[in-house]
Amino acid sequence: MKKIVIFLLCLCSQWTMAQKEAPKWVEKAKQAVFSIVTYDKADKLLNTGNGFFVSEDGIALSDYSVFKGAQRAVIINAEGKKMAVKAIIGANEIYDVIKFKVEAEKKTPMLKIATQTAAKGSDVYLLPYSTQKDRSCALGKIEEVSSLSGKYAYYTLALSLNDKMVSCPVTTLEGQVIGLIQKDAAGESKISYAVDASFAMSLSMNALSANDATLRNIGIKKALPDTENQALVYLFMSSSSTNAEEYLVLLNEFIETFPNSVEGYTRRANHYVYNFKDVEHLALAEKDLEKAQKLTDKKDDIYYNTAKLIYAYQLNKPETIYKDWGYARALKEIQQAITINPIPLYIQLEGDIYFALKDYEKSFVSYEKVNRSNLASAATFYSAAKAKELAKADMGEVIALLDSAIAKFTIPYSQDAAPYLLERAQKKETKELYREAVVDYDTYYQAVNGAVNDVFYYYREQANYKAKNFQRALDDIQKAIELSPEDATYLAELGAINLRIARYDEAIKNLQAALLLDPKFAACYRLIGFCQIQLKQDAEACQNFAKAKELGDEAVKSLIEKHCK
């Protein structure tokens, strides 16, 4: 008996066991073990390794390091046939394991995963990759069982091997897989290690896998999560990190996996319209929307999605309109949705479509309904204000709506409120509420923490000038000139303010500086002439009035009639 044991140990150290002494199941089990070849972005060989099938539909396990950086991979089975790796299902870089699916034409031979952790002292087999029909394998023993992630095991084996055996399966004497040989087992050591196969089997895709760095290091397509909700979130997370063609592949796979998911068809329709825009893809979008309408119980939601897509398509001003995909069709679709379910979201889109059709009164009616709902926001009040303005309503009504928009924010105002404050300031100027306009400009300045440009200072200068805050007007226009010294308008405005406060010599200098930048600035000649009249330089004034008239300044005519007879 002692001689037999020594003989077996010798055989194990040479990686073989006589065929007549190996279990009968070994020859068949080894058909599930394969070789892997991965390729980089230049399609050059990257790594080689081993793996094995764990299901008849091509699910397999291997080591992650073989796949890291790979753009494609193929496996070579025991018959020497090559099959492409179709998708990555899960990976763990720390324990160097990966789960993936192979593109197989028929059922693949598979190994069964052990349901229980193997005990210390148990004998195990290691099944190497081979294209030969034999029972050669290695026999070893479990020296230690450690805990891995709580419920899984990490095995220390009395089993000598080489680096070509990494990721080959370690099985019980009955042929159930307990682990995968780890990479650090390479070398001449008689001790090797295996990670629990059940741990590798537990790897899966979830909603957050799209941003998993371990998976992103592999260029091969990733499988979708198993559940529809998780897969939908995964799609959303992937939309910002993939290009249009890659994302379309994901959408197609989602629909193939969940053919009755309405969300899949509406998302793909959106993708076609927003990313491709050609007639062929618009036709596909229309087909997807029709399919979604047949599948859904919420007909209003598909009417809304259809209206929104057509509206977005029209906003992009297509050279030719696809079928009846105009604003009229969008309006019809959204009104069908409203008939079924008159929620504010649908009514808001109705208002937007009316606005695009330039029917501002109807647009305002829709926006007003939204503003009486729980969807009311600064943006919806602003939309109503613009509709009122374009419908030629009294500016006081427009300002009142902007008041409601700004009331949605708290004091002190943040940058989010800034656009509405600026809009109200300009409308108050139009209403000749100049001092109130200045207050809004000042509040805007505070909301953006002083991060303004020359145009802002020009706008506020105008309001201050009209409010007769001449010193503040001077300060603002000088700041505008400091930020944009080559703008003739600002220099002319500085001259106009100096003229207004009877600083005629200074005003002439400002206006002449503006003319150096723009010699055809007709108003500057008129204003210089006006200053010269005040300085009793009538002849020079009339020459400048004549130049202003020559350049087309209509306002100078009354000055010529009065001073240049």
Side-chain angles (χ1 to χ4, degrees), residues 45 60 85 165 211 291 329:
L45 189 147
V85 172
M165 307 307 295
N211 292 327
K291 179 68 174 179
R329 166 77 184 279

Side-chain angles (χ1 to χ4, degrees), residues 348 367 371 375-385 405 408-409 420:
Q348 174 71 32
Y367 292 146
N371 288 333
L375 197 66
S377 66
T380 62
F381 278 109
Y382 177 78
S383 295
K408 291 292 180 179
F409 300 97
Y420 304 103

Side-chain angles (χ1 to χ4, degrees), residues 263-334:
E263 187 76 15
Y265 295 102
T266 57
R267 288 196 187 194
R268 190 167 67 179
N270 274 268
H271 189 68
Y272 285 143
V273 174
Y274 285 109
N275 293 281
F276 298 100
K277 302 179 178 68
D278 56 89
V279 170
E280 290 76 15
H281 283 95
L282 291 172
L284 290 172
E286 188 173 46
K287 186 176 178 181
D288 275 349
L289 290 168
E290 289 170 355
K291 179 68 174 179
Q293 189 67 272
K294 290 178 181 178
L295 288 172
T296 190
D297 293 327
K298 298 179 179 179
K299 304 296 183 184
D300 56 296
D301 187 55
I302 306 305
Y303 285 130
Y304 166 71
N305 273 281
T306 303
K308 185 173 66 171
L309 273 183
I310 296 173
Y311 171 70
Y313 167 72
Q314 272 298 308
L315 282 182
N316 285 320
K317 296 181 171 55
E319 292 182 8
T320 57
I321 297 176
Y322 171 72
K323 290 187 175 180
D324 61 344
W325 277 39
Y327 290 127
R329 166 77 184 279
L331 187 62
K332 177 183 176 183
E333 295 286 339
I334 197 59

Side-chain angles (χ1 to χ4, degrees), residues 114-129:
T115 56
Q116 294 183 341
T117 301
K120 179 180 178 180
S122 301
D123 289 327
V124 292
Y125 291 127
L126 183 142
L127 307 183
Y129 167 67

Side-chain angles (χ1 to χ4, degrees), residues 203-237:
L203 299 174
S204 64
M205 302 294 287
N206 59 47
L208 301 179
S209 295
N211 292 327
D212 187 325
T214 298
L215 292 167
R216 289 174 68 83
N217 284 331
I218 303 173
I220 299 167
K221 187 183 78 169
K222 315 305 181 298
L224 290 172
D226 293 333
T227 66
E228 182 178 341
N229 286 339
Q230 289 279 306
L232 284 170
V233 179
Y234 179 85
L235 283 178
F236 174 76
M237 300 294 287

Side-chain angles (χ1 to χ4, degrees), residues 433-447:
L433 300 169
Y434 303 123
R435 291 188 179 276
E436 290 185 25
V438 169
V439 171
D440 273 351
Y441 281 124
D442 290 344
T443 309
Y444 171 87
Y445 182 89
Q446 293 166 359

Side-chain angles (χ1 to χ4, degrees), residues 383-400:
S383 295
K386 294 305 289 184
K388 269 289 183 186
E389 180 185 0
L390 292 169
K392 309 297 182 185
D394 182 83
M395 192 55 65
E397 294 181 59
V398 176
I399 293 170

